Amino acid sequence: MKKYGKKYVEASKNVDKNKAYALEDAIKLVKETSVTKFDSTVDVAIKLNIDPKKSDQQLKGALSLPNGTGKSKKVLVIAKGAFAEEAKKAGADFVGEKDMLDKIKNENWFDFDVVVATPEVGKIGNILGPRNLMPNPKTGTVTTKVGAIVEDLKKGMVTYKNDKFGNIHTVIGKVSFDEKKLAENLSYVVTTISKAKPQTVKGTFIENIAISTTMGPGIKLDKNSFDI
């Protein structure tokens, strides 16, 4: 049985595990139940009615939060020529091609959060694939619009992908955000995911929604709080 720390146990006493909270109440409570000394990240977990084993029911995409994530991502762009220059102007932290791939492979270098690549870049799957860093057209990270995607990532774009249990986990901000900004970000994520419902899924798509802070207790939300 998993053991929880004293702060987690105390914070959990303020959360009714059998209750689905209205949006405003849940946001207020998630801020109150933060247990870290640092500015915790606030995450959302969305349980979907999908069969993750079926390729036509898997979800993968990207969205730009209205109020950002509270953290600027370090972006690596694998590109050359004009695309590389565009990436640099847009604020990419690292730009290169074979030199960057060699650095990852030979030096076990991972001082970045996301990888963007242009379509004409050579085979990089053998290097980035095993490390779960492969850029993907569905998330916008394989693109010819390098400058735009770099700017979006810097502003607060997040990617999402269902896990093997049919859950989506993503960031909606920081505890230091005011309640309105967190609520706006959460509503945007839930609405976006709702609109991505695969055609092969019948009936209810979003089954449960819960939010939590880093190392904090989960808080269930009332789905009626959202326009889904």
Side-chain angles (χ1 to χ4, degrees):
M1 184 176 179
K2 186 176 180 179
K3 292 184 178 180
Y4 294 100
K6 183 178 179 181
K7 290 183 178 180
Y8 178 95
V9 173
E10 287 300 314
S12 295
K13 292 178 181 179
N14 297 316
V15 180
D16 185 345
K17 297 294 184 181
N18 298 313
K19 179 179 179 179
Y21 290 85
L23 175 60
E24 293 78 10
D25 295 333
I27 293 295
K28 182 179 180 180
L29 189 56
V30 82
K31 288 169 67 69
E32 293 174 349
T33 54
S34 176
V35 297
T36 62
K37 293 182 179 180
F38 57 86
D39 189 12
S40 292
T41 296
V42 183
D43 300 305
V44 60
I46 303 174
K47 173 63 177 175
L48 302 175
N49 174 32
I50 61 173
D51 184 346
K53 295 181 180 180
K54 295 182 178 180
S55 60
D56 61 357
Q57 291 192 19
Q58 295 177 7
L59 263 70
K60 178 185 290 185
L63 51 85
S64 294
L65 297 176
N67 302 300
T69 63
K71 177 185 176 181
S72 179
K73 290 187 176 182
K74 288 186 179 181
V75 181
L76 165 62
V77 177
I78 306 298
K80 59 184 177 180
F83 289 124
E85 291 303 314
E86 183 180 338
K88 292 176 183 177
K89 290 180 180 179
D93 298 275
F94 309 101
V95 182
E97 196 179 8
K98 186 178 183 299
D99 56 332
M100 288 297 173
L101 295 174
D102 287 343
K103 189 176 180 67
I104 295 171
K105 184 178 180 180
N106 301 327
E107 300 177 23
N108 202 35
W109 174 72
F110 298 103
D111 190 24
F112 53 88
D113 299 304
V114 62
V115 182
V116 175
T118 49
E120 79 281 357
V121 170
K123 294 182 179 180
I124 58 178
N126 61 330
I127 296 174
L128 298 179
R131 295 165 174 82
N132 199 31
L133 292 169
M134 275 296 290
N136 189 294
K138 290 184 178 180
T139 61
T141 49
V142 174
T143 180
T144 56
K145 298 179 180 179
V146 177
I149 192 67
V150 169
E151 290 177 357
D152 283 345
L153 286 165
K154 285 293 186 179
K155 290 177 182 177
M157 177 178 163
V158 296
T159 58
Y160 61 85
K161 179 182 179 182
N162 67 267
D163 62 20
K164 63 181 181 180
F165 301 108
N167 301 310
I168 293 280
H169 298 271
T170 194
V171 177
I172 62 167
K174 294 282 189 178
V175 169
S176 59
F177 281 23
D178 64 39
E179 294 176 17
K180 182 180 179 182
K181 287 184 177 181
L182 280 174
E184 288 175 348
N185 279 357
L186 176 56
S187 294
Y188 185 76
V189 170
V190 173
T191 301
T192 300
I193 297 300
S194 175
K195 292 179 179 178
K197 179 180 180 179
Q199 293 184 348
T200 54
V201 174
K202 306 302 180 184
T204 301
F205 179 44
I206 294 180
E207 295 184 334
N208 293 298
I209 305 167
I211 55 176
S212 63
T213 59
T214 307
M215 295 185 284
I219 300 164
K220 296 179 182 178
L221 282 104
D222 182 351
K223 293 191 297 180
N224 292 322
S225 294
F226 305 95
D227 185 20
I228 57 175

